């Protein structure tokens, strides 16, 4: 893997005008029916700058990558040159949109909803700050890490206010776990995950070890285990957990009349309905469960007739159900798992390690 080799060798600048595995591994078309291109913007930990050209949609594009930032300059037409990425991405005949992930992903495209969508125009340059790179000031006044954490403090305070205070008539729609409050926490977690890795960091090293810029000449290693862990637990408490099960919910009764919603909208609706244990929908005629959540022809989430239930007992075919576990139950389960993982192998007090 050439990207890994570049990181290990400590090269400070990589520049190339030819198509290579480095370039092709950074540009991926999730669905050949559309012009959206998934772009991998991160550079190896020891690399400060990477620049290359490639052809997309009949035009040359110049990409300049630095830690946390990607610049895209759309240049002139390829004029029929044959060895171009435009030929490699079959059917791409118009300027593409770029999906730039805002934090580390698993499989390609698995975090598409956490990506920044960028549209480009000929002879224009766009710059995208896709990750958290600066430490900032402790009072949060200069952006960076401290500013991100300061904003989450205000969000958490409002969540607690809504949880502990009886809301007035004008606030009855302002639930403590609505999207207005949970979205900033998810965004903050994505920012922390996006922070660059230190030099010589390799896959398998601590996932919480990052590198942030303290000033123009100083970069510091930071361990964000506590901050990321707290945000993950807060989000779990607010959102709960949904488990997908094939079949129809046959037990219990409908809590409300069926509603036309997407799966994501149904999840948000579910945890707002007192006593809701899950929801289900009948498969559209052209849908198969192996294809994931139902989508329209242009790739958008599909609206379905959703049934919300007060019990969860599933059977039959041609339906899909989602079991809902409330946030408090899910968080207690997670904390129990983490306690077991941390202390299960620890030796008893007073006994040396290896003798327990």
């Amino acid at each position: 893997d050439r990207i890994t080799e570049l990181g290990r060798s400590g090269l400070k600048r990589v520049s190339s005008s030819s198509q290579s595995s480095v370039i092709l591994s950074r540009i991926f078309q999730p669905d050949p029916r559309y012009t959206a291109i998934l772009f991998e913007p991160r550079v190896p930990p020891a690399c400060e700058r990477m620049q290359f050209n490639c052809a997309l949609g009949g035009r040359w594009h110049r990409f300049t990558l630095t830690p946390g930032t990607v610049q895209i300059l759309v240049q002139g037409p390829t004029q029929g040159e044959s060895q171009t990425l435009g030929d490699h991405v079959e059917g791409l005949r118009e300027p593409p949109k770029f999906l730039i992930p805002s934090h580390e992903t698993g499989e390609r495209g698995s975090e598409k909803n956490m990506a920044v969508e960028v549209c480009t125009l000929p002879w224009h340059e766009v710059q995208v700050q896709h990750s958290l790179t600066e430490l900032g000031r402790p009072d949060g006044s200069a952006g960076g890490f401290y500013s991100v954490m300061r904003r989450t403090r205000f969000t958490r305070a409002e969540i607690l206010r809504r949880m502990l205070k009886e809301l007035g008539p004008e606030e009855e729609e302002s639930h403590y776990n609505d999207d207005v409050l949970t979205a900033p926490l998810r965004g903050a977690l994505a920012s922390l995950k996006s922070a660059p890795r230190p030099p010589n960091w390799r896959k398998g090293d601590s996932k919480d070890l990052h590198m942030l810029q303290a000033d123009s000449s100083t970069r510091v290693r930071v361990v964000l285990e506590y901050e990321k862990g707290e945000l993950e637990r807060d989000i779990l408490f607010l959102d709960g957990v949904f488990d997908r099960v094939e079949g129809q919910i046959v037990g219990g009764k409908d809590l409300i009349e069926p509603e036309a919603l997407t799966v994501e909208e149904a999840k948000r609706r579910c945890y707002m309905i007192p006593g809701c244990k899950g929801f289900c929908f009948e498969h559209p005629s052209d849908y198969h469960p192996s294809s994931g959540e139902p989508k329209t022809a242009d790739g958008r989430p599909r609206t379905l007739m959703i049934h919300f239930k007060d019990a969860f007992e599933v059977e039959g075919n041609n339906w899909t159900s989602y079991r809902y576990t409330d946030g408090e139950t899910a968080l207690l389960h997670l904390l129990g798992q983490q306690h077991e993982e941390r202390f299960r192998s620890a030796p008893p007090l007073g006994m040396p390690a290896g003798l327990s």
Side-chain angles (χ1 to χ4, degrees):
D1 187 300
R2 187 178 172 191
I3 295 178
T4 303
E5 291 173 3
L6 292 175
R8 291 178 179 175
S9 64
L11 293 178
K12 298 301 182 182
R13 179 184 174 93
V14 179
S15 180
S16 172
S17 60
S18 62
Q19 297 298 330
S20 68
S21 60
V22 174
I23 299 172
L24 298 179
S25 65
R26 292 182 172 276
I27 298 176
F28 174 71
Q29 190 176 30
D31 192 328
R33 295 174 296 174
Y34 313 115
T35 60
I37 299 293
L38 187 65
F39 183 79
E40 170 52 67
R42 289 171 294 164
V43 297
C47 185
E48 293 182 358
R49 180 183 174 90
M50 179 180 288
Q51 188 175 81
F52 57 86
N53 294 325
C54 69
L56 290 164
R59 283 186 175 272
W60 285 107
H61 291 61
R62 167 157 288 190
F63 297 90
T64 303
L65 281 60
T66 54
T69 304
V70 58
Q71 291 175 283
I72 306 173
L73 173 63
V74 185
Q75 304 177 102
T78 56
Q79 298 179 339
E81 297 175 59
S82 59
Q83 300 300 318
T84 69
L85 192 60
D87 294 334
H88 178 76
V89 179
E90 184 179 354
L92 187 61
R93 297 292 180 266
E94 56 185 275
K97 296 178 181 177
F98 295 96
L99 299 174
I100 301 178
S102 58
H103 66 86
E104 295 181 38
T105 61
E107 297 181 2
R108 280 175 164 172
S110 64
E111 295 284 352
K112 179 179 177 181
N113 61 329
M114 298 304 295
V116 178
E117 184 175 283
V118 178
C119 299
T120 56
L121 295 172
W123 304 112
H124 283 70
E125 184 175 54
V126 295
Q127 178 170 309
V128 180
Q129 183 78 25
H130 63 82
S131 71
L132 178 71
T133 58
E134 296 181 355
L135 191 61
R137 296 177 181 173
D139 63 0
S141 63
F145 165 77
Y146 286 115
S147 179
V148 169
M149 299 312 298
R150 185 169 183 262
R151 290 197 299 271
T152 65
R153 184 181 68 184
F154 295 135
T155 302
R156 287 159 162 157
E158 176 60 17
I159 291 171
L160 284 174
R161 186 191 73 82
R162 293 189 185 186
M163 288 180 63
L164 302 177
K165 179 181 177 183
E166 185 174 345
L167 300 179
E170 70 283 357
E171 295 182 295
E172 352 182 272
E173 299 300 321
S174 302
H175 204 266
Y176 73 87
N177 61 349
D178 64 23
D179 270 353
V180 174
L181 295 177
T182 58
L185 296 183
R186 285 191 288 269
L189 179 60
S191 292
L192 297 187
K193 288 182 176 181
S194 76
R197 299 297 187 180
N200 302 320
W201 186 92
R202 296 182 178 87
K203 189 175 181 180
D205 291 347
S206 171
K207 63 183 178 63
D208 300 312
L209 183 60
H210 298 273
M211 180 75 78
L212 293 174
Q213 194 86 21
D215 54 44
S216 60
S217 60
T218 307
R219 293 199 299 168
V220 295
R221 293 171 182 254
V222 291
V223 177
L224 302 180
E225 178 182 11
Y226 172 79
E227 290 81 2
K228 288 159 68 172
E230 287 296 299
L231 282 168
E232 288 170 347
R233 287 189 282 271
D234 288 346
I235 293 168
L236 177 63
F237 175 76
L238 295 170
D239 287 351
V241 172
F242 288 91
D243 296 307
R244 175 173 170 158
V245 181
E246 294 308 315
Q248 181 183 8
I249 303 176
V250 294
K253 61 181 181 180
D254 287 339
L255 291 170
I256 60 174
E257 290 295 318
E259 295 184 1
L261 303 165
T262 66
V263 171
E264 287 304 312
E265 290 171 340
K267 290 178 180 179
R268 293 194 294 270
R269 188 81 172 94
C270 178
Y271 59 62
M272 303 287 284
I273 301 173
C276 186
K277 301 297 183 183
F279 61 87
C280 58
F281 60 85
E282 187 174 12
H283 295 169
S285 58
D286 58 348
Y287 170 69
H288 191 276
S290 62
S291 62
E293 294 183 4
K295 289 182 170 52
T296 61
D298 60 358
R300 291 177 297 176
R302 189 166 182 170
T303 298
L304 308 154
M305 193 57 65
I306 305 292
H307 301 257
F308 296 93
K309 298 287 189 173
D310 66 350
F312 199 89
E313 181 181 340
V314 173
E315 64 180 45
N317 301 310
N318 300 319
W319 285 69
T320 292
S321 300
Y322 282 82
R323 178 193 291 112
Y324 173 60
T325 303
D326 67 88
E328 183 176 355
T329 302
L331 180 58
L332 287 173
H333 179 71
L334 174 65
L335 293 175
Q337 283 185 324
Q338 292 176 341
H339 182 274
E340 285 294 315
E341 290 171 2
R342 177 166 295 184
F343 297 107
R344 178 171 30 190
S345 58
L349 291 177
M351 182 177 291
L355 299 180
S356 57

